[in-house]
Amino acid sequence: ACFAAMRELTWTVVGDAPRASTAGPRLGVLSVPGGVDGRDEPVRIATPACLTYTRRGEPAHLTPDVLATLPPEARAFQVCLTHFMDHLPPTHVSNCPGGGRAYFGSAPTFALATARDAITFDQHAKPSNDASATYVGTPVGAKKVSVEEYMRWVFATRPHAFVQLADEQHSVEGVNAKKTRAAVERTANWLDACAAMNETDEKNAGTPGTPPVAMFASVQGGCDVEARRLSAKAAASRCLGFDASRNALGEPPASNETNAKKKTSRRDSVFGFSIGGLGTGEAPGAARAKLVAACVAELPREKPVHVAGVGAPLDLIAMIENGVDLMDNAFAHVMTLAGRALRFPVDAKDVEEKGEDAKTRTGASKKRRRDAADDDESLFSGSDAFSLNLWSLKYRTDTRPLLENCACHTCAHHTRAYVHHLLQCREMTASVLLDAHNQFHFLRFFAAAREAIANDAFAAFAAFHRNRAKEETEAGESDER
Amino acid sequence: GGATMASEGDARGGDSPIRFEVLATDGRARATRLTFTRGERACLTPMFMPVGTQGSLKGLTSQQLCDLECQVVLGNTYHLANRPGTEVLRASGGLAQFMHYTRGGTLTDSGGFQIFSLGAPSAEDGAEMKSRRVSKHKDAKGLIERVTERGVTFKSYRDGRTMELTPESSVRAQKALGADIIVPLDELPPYAIDPFALKKSVFRSHRWEARSLREHLNDVRDQAMYAVIHGGVDDALRRLSAEYLGGLPFDGFAIGGSLGKDTKELTNMLANLVPLLPSDRPNHLLGIGDEPSVRASVKLGIDAFDSTFPTRSARHGALLTRTRGRVNVRNAKNKDLFEPPCFECGCPLCSRHTLAYLHHLDRAREPTAWTLATEHNLWYMGNLMRELREKILADEL
């Protein structure tokens, strides 16, 4: 059993017990069995961790040699399986010599498969209306996907972990409560279906010793706090042993008859939880935090919590505050697509080191706030507290790196003027250089968050970022006046 | 192999910006070392120069270019002067600094090729004249307004405003770009042209090139200038052009103009022309990058090539491989081929990915597919040129 355990994916909390059991920021370690059959050294990924957004299994603009310039945690991927659902069946991946995992040339150290793209969230896919399938967005349009087909893809690609197929609702106000409950119930049913197929595959798996695919249960419920709680309870109940006498949501049967079925104590089939449907229209800040807190309160704290599609730095801080362990860096990629370079200081220490930037934030005069190299003061550049807009003509002759003192590949070799030029020419290399920088910076931000948690200083870390954003916004507004 | 000859490029007297040594010869082919004295950067020929039109190889970072052991990158003056403009490039310290490509050398063209090829309205022109993206500013007359002795007046393809390119202004722009090798302004006549018009065009090119050279020599700035030999496929005109330009203090000789409609015409022309070029200076064949022509031209004594062919065809799904020859990535038979595109290649694509995967990335229109394919094709060209160099040095060509 111990040997088998070594070959499986594990996640453990780091630090003392009280922190482990209460909702709040915490450190953890995701231990990924290395190599085939777990024979090599496991890879350890510290959480809260940021998974790299991918397209068809690879980071969108980064070839393996450029990916190698990023820190090793960049090779933990979040893979959206619907990217593959275009022309060919799952066998074209699983037929790859060495199995499905060998298909991915970048050889991710950890891959978490999801059913929704973290950026587009299948905005044009139709809402599901039947119990057997849901609509997902694929490169060839909206497609109906059942649990069976989704699991076929999971087994073909053999990620280290996957999020169950869920009936994801957009979290907008005003959705019919009955609809939300139906979606929650469907999600719980599909959790059981995925678990059943996962077990079957493990028994029938071709290669002996193939580790099972760790499953993340999805917690849904839209904007409805009660539904969220219900969904979280239902997902949590699968960990502790499943009581078949209750319905999918864990409620006792409607009638007073005792159910003849015995309580089925199932193996713990849930590895972690993924809080779904976020970043789809709920108000960020307090409203979203309330939804997440409601979910986390019902979930066992010894399992990791994942949230996809919530991007901006302040939002991620709120997620970590509420006890989320795994997130994705889709925001960094969205910034790249917009031609923006991330430039916010990752923590208070970072500001001091950067010198010039530090002077600007405390009621300094308008003149000092401007960049020293800015010749044409009247150009409004569209940059903000977190990122530079490199399309702006302001950067035409700016020979500084994207971010001073940044150690990424782009800042070591290139200038703002060059990236600006590439954007203006619509050159592909612009995206490569921007992604290399933005992902590097985002990973630094996460490293700083982890350090703050380790030093018990996360509240100060969060306050720093919130205050900074507030000051930048206010200063910017006063500038315009 | 033949005797090793060293030449200091002393046609002009004084310090030359390039040092040129012939390392070995094999028949007419030769392996040489070209050193840019500024920074002592050496290149070995025969070599292939990829074209980074707007200051980048599409999809590749400058670091990847260095990893590919790319020796010289070509930039197009016409595009760069339009955007970002010479002032930005001057402020950045020149094209090489702007791109941060400092391992090897850079070459800029005069701008003439783009003006004549993007501007000409005629559909009967040969393949080298076809523009791929018609500008909305181009009307029935084309973008060229007037070609006079002074220079070319044309409409910018970007915003339609009238611009002028003269030999002097082209050289001044290239001075701002600061490339190691620059090219004088020449006139590019279409392939289908009557002999009288061709002769007039060649003479005009000669006068423009002489003016360019004079402007260049006023302020050399460690740059080398290559002449452009014209004459189409007319051997007599080519001889005339080679003799005239060979007598001027250019640092090297590029062969331009119409190179014939197929490889056979090209080789016939080169067989007559190359022996007429001064052998103590490098030569360069403009715009040729397909393998049969490259191999044939190396045998006839050409030192360097540039072309968009390997990189452009990569983006359109054509890989050049040693194992399988030319591979069309988009072909349906590649969708399940779980092997590297080429077994003998060490590029990031072939060492880590399969053809099936590239096929699907390409079908999904993921930009990473183009980057991987471009890297691969440039590896291929690098290997090809290295193989030719080694054969010449070992007398096996």
Side-chain angles (χ1 to χ4, degrees):
Chain A
C2 177
F3 189 54
M6 259 168 51
R7 280 191 264 117
E8 287 181 22
L9 185 71
T10 59
W11 180 84
T12 41
V13 183
V14 166
D16 45 11
R19 187 186 288 164
S21 56
T22 55
R26 66 217 185 137
L27 295 179
V29 172
L30 190 64
S31 187
V32 186
V36 172
D37 297 336
R39 260 174 283 145
D40 299 324
E41 273 299 305
V43 173
R44 313 184 88 80
I45 297 168
T47 69
C50 172
L51 302 175
T52 300
Y53 172 77
T54 58
R55 296 210 53 88
R56 216 189 163 88
E58 299 284 342
H61 297 116
L62 305 181
T63 50
D65 46 348
V66 181
L67 189 61
T69 63
L70 295 175
E73 53 263 29
R75 279 174 63 214
F77 290 175
Q78 182 170 288
V79 176
C80 177
L81 291 178
T82 61
H83 292 167
F84 295 81
M85 296 177 187
D86 44 16
H87 305 283
L88 291 181
T91 44
H92 109 267
V93 174
S94 55
N95 283 344
C96 181
R101 219 175 267 177
Y103 184 82
F104 300 100
S106 285
T109 50
F110 173 69
L112 173 66
T114 62
R116 309 283 171 173
D117 184 292
I119 294 180
T120 62
F121 197 77
D122 313 331
Q123 277 160 349
H124 305 293
K126 293 178 272 187
S128 69
N129 53 9
D130 73 67
S132 64
T134 182
Y135 283 91
V136 297
T138 72
V140 292
K143 220 176 177 189
K144 213 168 179 184
V145 163
S146 64
V147 169
E148 286 76 34
E149 183 168 349
Y150 181 68
M151 291 309 290
R152 267 204 297 278
W153 275 103
V154 171
F155 298 141
T157 51
R158 277 273 148 206
H160 299 88
F162 74 102
V163 176
Q164 65 156 116
L165 186 67
D167 187 355
E168 301 222 31
Q169 277 192 310
H170 290 229
S171 301
V172 286
E173 294 285 355
V175 175
N176 190 332
K178 217 165 99 177
K179 220 177 181 182
T180 307
R181 229 186 106 105
V184 164
E185 191 168 336
R186 214 173 274 151
T187 300
N189 283 331
W190 289 349
L191 172 57
D192 293 331
C194 287
M197 288 193 70
N198 203 11
E199 273 193 11
T200 319
D201 181 73
E202 192 199 347
K203 289 194 200 103
N204 301 337
T207 326
T210 312
V213 193
M215 181 170 71
F216 278 70
S218 183
V219 176
Q220 297 295 327
C223 259
D224 183 344
V225 175
E226 268 316 302
R228 284 275 177 190
R229 206 164 277 148
L230 208 56
S231 186
K233 278 203 187 96
S237 68
R238 270 40 172 199
C239 303
L240 310 168
F242 176 44
D243 182 355
S245 67
R246 292 169 177 262
N247 72 0
L249 297 179
E251 293 161 335
S255 72
N256 283 330
E257 295 172 22
T258 43
N259 197 310
K261 261 202 234 164
K262 286 200 309 195
K263 193 173 187 150
T264 327
S265 156
R266 192 172 289 180
R267 220 180 60 101
D268 193 353
S269 55
V270 171
F271 180 84
F273 302 94
S274 178
I275 304 178
L278 293 179
T280 59
E282 75 278 9
R288 183 188 291 153
K290 198 158 146 215
L291 295 174
V292 174
C295 297
V296 171
E298 307 292 338
L299 300 174
R301 291 301 278 147
E302 65 270 13
K303 291 186 186 279
V305 176
H306 163 256
V307 166
V310 170
L314 292 182
D315 301 326
L316 291 168
I317 288 175
M319 292 295 105
I320 297 176
E321 269 176 351
N322 282 291
V324 177
D325 308 293
L326 294 169
M327 287 145 277
D328 63 64
N329 77 350
F331 180 76
H333 185 61
V334 170
M335 288 287 105
T336 298
L337 295 175
R340 304 182 76 93
L342 291 174
R343 60 102 161 228
F344 58 96
V346 298
D347 57 19
K349 275 205 319 275
D350 207 22
V351 177
E352 283 154 25
E353 278 157 26
K354 286 198 171 46
E356 187 187 299
D357 277 0
K359 292 195 198 89
T360 58
R361 304 309 147 216
T362 44
S365 70
K366 262 193 252 176
K367 215 164 160 60
R368 277 224 322 223
R369 287 199 69 245
R370 295 290 188 205
D371 292 329
D374 188 351
D375 295 325
D376 196 335
E377 299 239 357
S378 65
L379 284 176
F380 175 57
S381 71
S383 302
D384 61 25
F386 289 90
S387 58
L388 296 178
N389 172 22
L390 284 168
W391 279 96
S392 170
L393 294 174
K394 176 174 158 178
Y395 303 112
R396 275 187 88 224
T397 50
D398 193 338
T399 50
R400 292 177 289 176
L402 299 189
L403 180 61
E404 305 272 16
N405 301 324
C406 175
C408 81
H409 171 89
T410 305
C411 293
H413 294 283
H414 297 288
T415 62
R416 297 177 185 187
Y418 185 54
V419 179
H420 166 83
H421 160 69
L422 292 177
L423 282 170
Q424 293 282 353
C425 295
R426 270 73 167 175
E427 282 282 339
M428 295 195 294
T429 312
S431 311
V432 176
L433 295 179
L434 281 172
D435 240 357
H437 168 79
N438 287 340
Q439 294 199 21
F440 184 90
H441 195 78
F442 223 60
L443 290 171
R444 273 193 68 216
F445 169 64
F446 266 82
R450 286 192 291 269
E451 200 189 318
I453 300 175
N455 298 335
D456 236 342
F458 192 77
F461 175 82
F464 164 75
H465 281 285
R466 290 189 174 121
N467 290 339
R468 184 179 167 274
K470 196 153 153 270
E471 279 170 15
E472 289 284 329
T473 322
E474 282 168 3
E477 281 164 12
S478 69
D479 250 356
E480 282 171 58
R481 261 181 258 126
Chain B
T4 304
M5 299 184 316
S7 158
E8 292 293 318
D10 53 341
R12 166 163 18 85
D15 289 333
S16 175
I18 56 177
R19 230 177 21 247
F20 182 68
E21 310 152 61
V22 177
L23 301 173
T25 59
D26 186 346
R28 293 194 189 191
R30 60 186 193 176
T32 79
R33 184 186 295 127
L34 190 67
T35 311
F36 301 111
T37 46
R38 176 175 51 172
E40 287 298 315
R41 288 159 291 141
C43 306
L44 299 173
T45 77
M47 74 168 156
F48 174 75
M49 303 182 191
V51 179
T53 309
Q54 304 201 72
S56 91
L57 263 295
K58 293 191 195 313
L60 298 190
T61 62
S62 303
Q63 192 58 41
Q64 283 170 316
L65 278 182
C66 295
D67 295 338
L68 287 165
E69 293 170 9
C70 167
Q71 303 191 85
V72 178
V73 172
L74 196 146
N76 290 131
T77 303
Y78 181 54
H79 294 298
L80 291 170
N82 249 314
R83 183 172 53 190
T86 49
E87 282 320 303
V88 171
L89 284 160
R90 202 196 303 272
S92 295
L95 175 63
Q97 274 304 315
F98 188 60
M99 286 175 66
H100 200 79
Y101 174 69
T102 45
R103 182 184 193 271
T106 45
L107 187 155
T108 49
D109 59 359
S110 63
F113 179 75
Q114 273 77 37
I115 290 171
F116 288 104
S117 63
L118 294 175
S122 161
E124 289 96 39
D125 296 336
E128 76 269 16
M129 297 291 280
K130 282 270 187 324
S131 79
R132 282 166 200 275
R133 239 190 342 264
V134 177
S135 166
K136 64 177 184 240
H137 300 287
K138 191 167 168 177
D139 56 20
K141 279 199 291 98
L143 288 171
I144 298 179
E145 290 188 1
R146 214 163 44 246
V147 181
T148 62
E149 186 56 29
R150 187 179 139 86
V152 188
T153 313
F154 59 97
K155 284 191 289 193
S156 160
Y157 68 88
R158 267 188 74 211
D159 53 16
R161 72 193 153 104
T162 303
M163 300 176 73
E164 193 191 31
L165 188 70
T166 66
E168 291 78 16
S169 72
S170 169
V171 172
R172 278 197 294 271
Q174 294 185 70
K175 290 290 166 195
L177 298 179
D180 298 295
I181 302 172
I182 63 177
V183 172
L185 183 65
D186 56 340
E187 189 185 22
L188 185 66
Y191 173 74
I193 187 175
D194 70 81
F196 182 64
L198 179 61
K199 203 165 185 176
K200 276 180 60 173
S201 169
V202 171
F203 287 155
R204 170 167 284 159
S205 289
H206 287 175
R207 293 193 294 277
W208 280 359
E209 292 190 43
R211 278 164 58 190
S212 307
L213 182 62
R214 188 182 310 127
E215 180 75 20
H216 162 64
L217 291 175
N218 283 340
D219 181 16
V220 173
R221 286 203 214 176
D222 282 339
Q223 293 173 298
M225 183 177 265
Y226 279 13
V228 184
I229 313 279
H230 276 275
V233 288
D234 181 338
D235 284 336
L237 266 182
R238 284 281 180 186
R239 169 184 284 270
L240 195 150
S241 191
E243 283 173 358
Y244 173 68
L245 295 169
L248 293 175
F250 286 104
D251 301 291
F253 297 92
I255 300 170
S258 171
L259 301 172
K261 62 180 187 292
D262 53 28
T263 311
K264 194 158 179 309
E265 276 195 353
L266 169 71
T267 48
N268 286 341
M269 187 266 287
L270 289 179
N272 290 315
L273 173 58
V274 178
L276 302 172
L277 300 176
S279 59
D280 63 342
R281 278 168 275 179
N283 61 55
H284 181 106
L285 187 57
L286 290 169
I288 295 290
D290 61 294
E291 189 170 347
S293 302
V294 166
R295 284 185 184 272
S297 307
V298 165
K299 283 210 174 87
L300 293 171
I302 296 294
D303 300 322
F305 304 82
D306 72 274
S307 174
T308 55
F309 171 70
T311 47
R312 183 178 288 158
S313 59
R315 295 195 301 278
H316 294 279
L319 293 183
L320 308 168
T321 69
R322 292 195 276 183
T323 316
R324 301 175 217 270
R326 185 144 154 194
V327 173
N328 179 5
V329 172
R330 294 173 187 176
N331 193 316
K333 76 174 189 300
N334 291 324
K335 70 179 196 256
D336 282 325
L337 198 57
F338 291 107
E339 291 168 359
C342 179
F343 286 104
E344 298 159 59
C345 177
C347 77
L349 170 67
C350 298
S351 57
R352 245 138 350 160
H353 293 282
T354 60
L355 200 44
Y357 186 68
L358 185 66
H359 173 91
H360 286 289
L361 275 187
D362 184 72
R363 287 200 78 175
R365 299 205 192 113
E366 288 293 334
T368 318
W370 303 330
T371 304
L372 290 169
T374 306
E375 266 185 296
H376 168 81
N377 275 5
L378 288 179
W379 260 78
Y380 180 83
M381 293 307 292
N383 276 334
L384 170 64
M385 304 317 286
R386 191 180 310 125
E387 172 208 316
L388 291 170
R389 282 198 295 271
E390 282 165 8
K391 281 204 177 131
I392 296 173
L393 289 167
D395 212 9
E396 284 169 12
L397 194 62

